[in-house]
Amino acid sequence: MTSLDDLTALREHAFRWVDQAYGEAHERAGRGLAEGYAPGMAAEIAGQGWLAVMVGAQNGGMGGGLREMAAVMEAVGRGLVAEPVLSQGAIAAPLLDRLGTPQARLLLARVLDGTSVTVMMHQEADAGFERTLASSRLTEEDGRFHIHAAKAPVLDAAGAKILLVTALDAAGRTAVVAIEADAPGVRLVRSRSVDGRMLAAVHLDHVAVPADAVLNAGADASAIVETVLEEAALLVCSEACGAIPILVEGTADYLRTRRQFGMPLASFQVLQHRMVDMLLAAEEASAVVEAALDSADGPERKRAFALAKIVTARSARFVAQQAVQLHGGIGMTDDLKVSRYFRRLMQCETMFGDADWHAERFDRLRG
Amino acid sequence: MHDAEPEPEMATFRREVIDFVAANLPSDIKEKVRCNGELQKEDHVRWQTILAAKGWYCAHWPQAVGGAGWSPLRRYVFEQALAEAGAPWMLPFGPAYVGPVIAEYGDDEQKQRFLPDIIASNTAWCQGYSEPGAGSDLAGLKTRARRDGTGYRVNGQKLWTSFAHWADMMFCLARTSDEDRPQNGISFLLLDMRQPGVTIRPIVTMDMRHHVNEVFLDDVFVPRENLVGREGRGWEIAKFLLSTERLIVAETGKARRLLAQVRETAERAREGGQPLFDRPVFRRGFVEAEIALQTLEAYCSRLLKRAALGEQPGYQASLLKIRGSELLQTITALGASVAARTGLALDHEPSAGQNSPPDADAETSGLLREYLSQRAASIYGGSNEIQHNIVAKARFGFQ
């Protein structure tokens, strides 16, 4: 999965699938459901291998990397796919793959075959966008483990079977603990996200966990967790890069057809210029994501990733706001896709840190 | 472009260029650039000659006319590295503008007569495009070239003509006939500036410098052999010229150097007992400029990669122009903000600042002056508003 041809084929295939097989009805199907997505469709998506893209071949995956997953996430954004792809294919699967312990590999197999939605819960309830663990604790007494944590709402957690909860152990190492969502003492607090998908926060009050649920097996998983979060932040930018052009083209089409004052809106220069600014924002987002992918293995990785999130977040907001503005009243309605892209892009914009948070990071990381 | 050049090789080349500038740029010129001092024609020629000796002047020209046939990527890397390393801005009129035009549209005799003298810095050129009534609307130009014996008699007025006062030759657009479309009937002429009838009047701009001029053409003779391409097809040539310039229109190398300079001056400047650079609101502005710079670099690199795969940029050049000019304006505005802490001083007595770090003031003033001159960046070469029009038409088909 490294050649340019394979990458192009994967991208084209994913785009074709969302364009032809994933319609508005699918996108809305999860709205009334507790999971926030259609479980049948989630299984179908798992079946086409999207969740296995970043997983090594030895663990039953495609052996691809960020570039390949970025192509899939672009398709997810393009089609407003509501089923868990990011949380599975871009977060849980690579996390379990990298942890690599026997128990992690067991859980991974169930993520890949779509039988067990598994969601990483890292962000602490009062941490804002900061990723440092402070209050999540894993304690051990006579070989018996307990976990105590309050985690902020995470997408797709409402329908999860397994939660991968991070916590600090007595030695200050980051542990990753697999917990069944319906285990005793696990309190999920569900909410509906702005884009219709379901979130859940989790409260774990000294919940007993079996030893084999501690997936890091005593090693410090902080570097793995940080890598996964960094890459998830970049992949959510790719999702935005899939959605943004839909709004750009859709708005241009609307300006061509909608008439006011006896002429098409497209003939008004102020609207033409706004469209150009939207296009510019869209192209900049794609460019910084591409640059981040190019820098992923180099010394500038962290700054390039931060830049990608800053620029993509701003482009997403600008394009979405202007798309609504240029559509006028009709752009406000839930019926029109514009408002649905608007809300999905809000998630892309802010998930794993908004532009301001990443701008601070970008500043701190300067040499 | 099928010879996609690998990135590591480009990184090495960039390093080589920066090292070359460090070792070979005369120190007096380097100092002028650092403080945005006034470069003389002689300074430019001296530096051009050093580059030419290395084979790095006009190297983007085809090999058949004395260039090295550099790819757009190599040229971009070269020019940005030069600027980043503090080399002077390269006067584009010969090497970047008229040279490639003659190489593409000129006949063999024209190539022989004009191109070697550009490489050797024997001939300085200027560009006669804008006129009092034809700025953004360039096709409205009124300068007229009337057939007269073995050539043309040219009458008219050119405006904003950069470095006409240094130029031996001007390439200009003049109307040779009146057609239904104003773009038709324009011809591309090479005009000798050293002849009676050419009057140059300097214009001092708000940076208090003389770069631009008014040029009056009063019955000036242009021999027939100085017509480039076919008569009446000058507009097409002017558009070709723009296309060759597309990918270097964004001066990211210069922006990088100026931003580093803003940081240095803001670290030296103190406010409320701390470096200005550490004041949160100033820093925020700096971070925004840095984000804009790296975004533009990412966009350039994306377009260059595409170009290497054979996908030539079209409307994207206008987007580069918009963002490139905004970026230089943003960065130099930060410089002006540093300068504002010490009264917006534009010039200094030579003896001043004995006890302060040498030239700190001069550097800050240089940024202030650059702020003033960069206001033109969003006006010249097709204003940013015109660039918006171009993209709206080319990309969306809006009329």
Side-chain angles (χ1 to χ4, degrees):
Chain A
M1 276 309 298
T2 47
S3 90
L4 188 62
D5 287 347
D6 289 346
L7 182 60
T8 309
L10 172 70
R11 188 169 182 272
E12 280 174 4
H13 182 270
F15 273 38
R16 203 174 322 120
W17 184 81
V18 298
D19 289 351
Q20 292 172 3
Y22 196 87
E24 191 181 326
H26 297 105
E27 175 209 322
R28 291 174 179 273
R31 283 193 175 190
L33 305 174
E35 296 90 345
Y37 55 83
M41 179 56 82
E44 187 181 332
I45 287 173
Q48 57 193 18
W50 283 9
L51 312 184
V53 167
M54 292 181 79
V55 174
Q58 75 283 0
N59 284 339
M62 248 190 229
L66 269 176
R67 274 182 207 283
E68 287 75 16
M69 197 63 206
V72 169
M73 289 312 301
E74 241 189 286
V76 166
R78 180 180 172 87
L80 291 185
V81 174
E83 284 64 30
V85 177
L86 184 84
S87 65
Q88 306 305 290
I91 301 177
L95 175 63
L96 292 167
D97 186 41
R98 284 168 189 165
L99 286 167
T101 55
Q103 186 64 15
R105 295 177 61 174
L106 216 63
L107 292 172
L108 175 58
R110 295 171 57 207
V111 170
L112 300 190
D113 69 18
T115 53
S116 170
V117 170
T118 301
V119 173
M120 179 188 187
M121 308 287 292
H122 174 74
Q123 220 63 29
E124 292 181 346
D126 53 1
F129 292 130
E130 288 301 331
R131 295 168 179 171
T132 323
L133 292 177
S135 58
S136 311
R137 299 284 166 182
L138 178 70
T139 56
E140 183 190 356
E141 216 173 315
D142 307 329
R144 289 150 53 120
F145 289 89
H146 285 85
I147 188 164
H148 185 78
K151 298 290 191 177
V154 173
L155 217 50
D156 300 334
K161 281 200 173 136
I162 302 288
L163 307 175
L164 302 175
V165 184
T166 54
L168 296 171
D169 68 13
R173 290 172 301 214
T174 297
V176 180
V177 183
I179 296 173
E180 293 193 18
D182 56 4
V186 176
R187 189 160 65 89
L188 281 181
V189 181
R190 294 180 171 82
S191 44
R192 190 171 295 280
S193 146
V194 66
D195 65 355
R197 293 182 290 176
M198 288 299 291
L199 302 154
V202 67
H203 298 267
L204 303 165
D205 190 7
H206 298 286
V207 174
V209 290
D212 68 354
V214 182
L215 302 178
N216 53 309
D220 183 8
S222 58
I224 291 177
V225 167
E226 175 64 16
T227 301
V228 166
L229 290 171
E230 261 174 25
E231 297 189 347
L234 180 62
L235 289 165
V236 87
C237 294
S238 294
E239 181 177 350
C241 287
I244 288 170
I246 301 291
L247 286 180
V248 172
E249 299 308 329
T251 305
D253 280 342
Y254 183 74
L255 296 186
R256 289 185 194 104
T257 48
R258 170 79 171 164
R259 295 177 70 88
Q260 290 282 273
F261 305 101
M263 54 190 124
L265 288 181
S267 60
F268 292 93
Q269 194 180 43
V270 68
L271 304 183
Q272 295 183 351
H273 286 198
R274 192 75 48 79
M275 272 312 310
V276 172
D277 291 334
M278 290 166 69
L279 174 70
L280 190 38
E283 299 220 351
E284 285 182 330
S286 296
V288 289
V289 170
E290 194 172 307
L293 290 169
D294 288 343
S295 308
D297 300 319
E300 287 295 307
R301 171 188 163 106
K302 283 177 188 289
R303 275 203 116 199
F305 280 35
L307 180 77
K309 194 67 175 31
I310 296 163
V311 175
T312 309
R314 290 177 179 170
S315 293
R317 175 179 289 203
F318 179 73
V319 169
Q321 289 179 344
Q322 295 307 319
V324 171
Q325 178 68 23
L326 267 53
H327 277 80
I330 195 77
M332 293 291 298
T333 61
D334 179 49
D335 269 352
L336 207 69
K337 67 180 177 183
V338 174
S339 78
R340 303 199 304 276
Y341 278 88
F342 183 105
R343 284 173 287 157
R344 173 62 70 95
L345 283 170
M346 284 185 77
Q347 274 295 359
C348 297
E349 183 193 332
T350 53
M351 222 190 287
F352 307 109
D354 65 2
D356 286 348
W357 187 81
H358 282 277
E360 281 185 14
R361 186 175 158 84
F362 180 79
D363 186 33
R364 271 201 311 277
L365 291 166
R366 183 185 303 106
Chain B
M1 268 312 305
H2 46 272
D3 54 336
E5 295 179 78
E7 270 178 48
E9 197 198 310
M10 284 299 102
T12 309
F13 179 55
R14 178 175 170 275
R15 195 66 252 166
E16 190 188 350
V17 174
I18 289 172
D19 291 345
F20 180 84
V21 174
N24 294 284
L25 180 63
S27 57
D28 60 318
I29 298 182
K30 192 183 175 73
E31 190 54 21
K32 278 190 187 174
V33 174
R34 194 174 67 83
C35 299
N36 194 10
E38 193 157 17
L39 287 156
Q40 301 303 315
K41 179 178 180 182
E42 180 273 332
D43 297 323
H44 285 280
V45 169
R46 208 158 20 120
W47 176 235
Q48 287 162 200
T49 309
I50 292 168
L51 287 176
K54 174 79 179 168
W56 282 356
Y57 190 59
C58 306
H60 58 281
W61 290 7
Q63 283 172 333
V65 293
W70 280 359
S71 69
L73 175 62
R74 181 170 286 265
R75 182 185 178 195
Y76 172 82
V77 169
F78 173 70
E79 303 218 345
Q80 305 316 328
L82 270 194
E84 191 182 339
W89 176 64
M90 193 101 71
L91 291 170
F93 311 105
Y97 294 174
V98 78
V101 163
I102 293 173
E104 177 76 13
Y105 291 92
D107 56 35
D108 287 343
E109 188 270 335
Q110 288 171 333
K111 289 177 192 169
Q112 273 309 313
R113 197 149 51 95
F114 296 112
L115 296 181
D117 280 336
I118 293 176
I119 299 178
S121 295
N122 291 334
T123 311
W125 288 79
C126 65
Q127 169 178 276
Y129 275 22
S130 292
E131 297 182 5
S136 288
D137 181 14
L138 186 60
L141 60 89
K142 297 246 172 4
T143 294
R144 196 162 283 278
R146 181 167 41 79
R147 286 207 194 188
D148 180 33
T150 58
Y152 300 93
R153 287 284 165 190
V154 182
N155 282 283
Q157 183 188 349
K158 294 293 178 182
L159 190 59
W160 315 125
T161 316
S162 297
F163 301 105
H165 50 299
W166 292 349
D168 305 295
M169 296 289 296
M170 170 197 271
F171 61 94
C172 69
L173 297 177
R175 194 165 292 287
T176 39
S177 63
D178 293 297
E179 310 284 339
D180 44 349
R181 278 180 82 233
Q183 288 84 352
N184 297 338
I186 292 173
S187 296
F188 194 99
L189 301 177
L190 309 178
L191 181 152
D192 189 342
M193 294 288 279
R194 315 284 188 197
Q195 62 171 310
V198 177
T199 310
I200 300 167
R201 225 193 68 186
I203 300 171
V204 175
T205 39
M206 69 173 168
D207 58 350
M208 304 311 290
R209 288 269 167 83
H210 168 209
H211 322 274
V212 296
N213 303 275
E214 274 180 295
V215 178
F216 299 90
L217 303 169
D218 184 15
D219 250 1
V220 173
F221 186 69
V222 174
R224 187 63 198 248
E225 59 266 26
N226 282 14
L227 166 73
V228 180
R230 283 163 50 202
E231 190 182 277
R233 302 301 293 272
W235 191 255
E236 184 189 314
I237 298 176
K239 286 212 306 202
F240 163 83
L241 193 159
L242 287 176
S243 78
T244 66
E245 285 310 292
R246 276 177 174 161
L247 284 172
I248 58 158
V249 67
E251 295 180 80
T252 56
K254 179 173 184 172
R256 205 162 248 276
R257 179 174 66 77
L258 290 176
L259 190 66
Q261 206 169 26
V262 165
R263 179 180 175 177
E264 285 159 22
T265 54
E267 279 174 338
R268 277 198 301 260
R270 300 193 72 81
E271 184 164 85
Q274 65 181 142
L276 176 59
F277 189 65
D278 292 339
R279 302 279 287 187
V281 176
F282 182 88
R283 175 69 76 89
R284 180 79 209 223
F286 180 85
V287 169
E288 290 305 324
E290 201 178 18
I291 289 167
L293 167 62
Q294 293 198 14
T295 304
L296 186 61
E297 287 176 336
Y299 192 38
C300 287
S301 136
R302 176 181 166 90
L303 295 179
L304 286 160
K305 271 198 275 175
R306 301 275 165 96
L309 296 169
E311 198 180 311
Q312 292 307 318
Y315 68 86
Q316 292 93 338
S318 293
L319 299 181
L320 288 178
K321 165 71 170 51
I322 292 168
R323 280 294 195 255
S325 54
E326 288 174 348
L327 175 64
L328 285 173
Q329 293 177 342
T330 301
I331 291 171
T332 53
L334 287 169
S337 165
V338 178
R341 265 70 184 186
T342 48
L344 296 176
L346 194 57
D347 285 301
H348 300 270
E349 286 181 46
S351 59
Q354 292 286 350
N355 299 323
S356 59
D359 307 322
D361 293 343
E363 222 174 342
T364 307
S365 297
L367 286 166
L368 171 61
R369 194 182 296 279
E370 192 73 54
Y371 166 73
L372 295 169
S373 50
Q374 286 300 334
R375 299 315 303 171
S378 49
I379 302 169
Y380 59 60
S383 71
N384 284 9
E385 289 72 23
I386 292 290
Q387 304 300 336
H388 275 84
N389 291 349
I390 291 171
V391 179
K393 189 174 173 198
R395 175 61 171 74
F396 295 114
F398 294 162
Q399 293 301 319

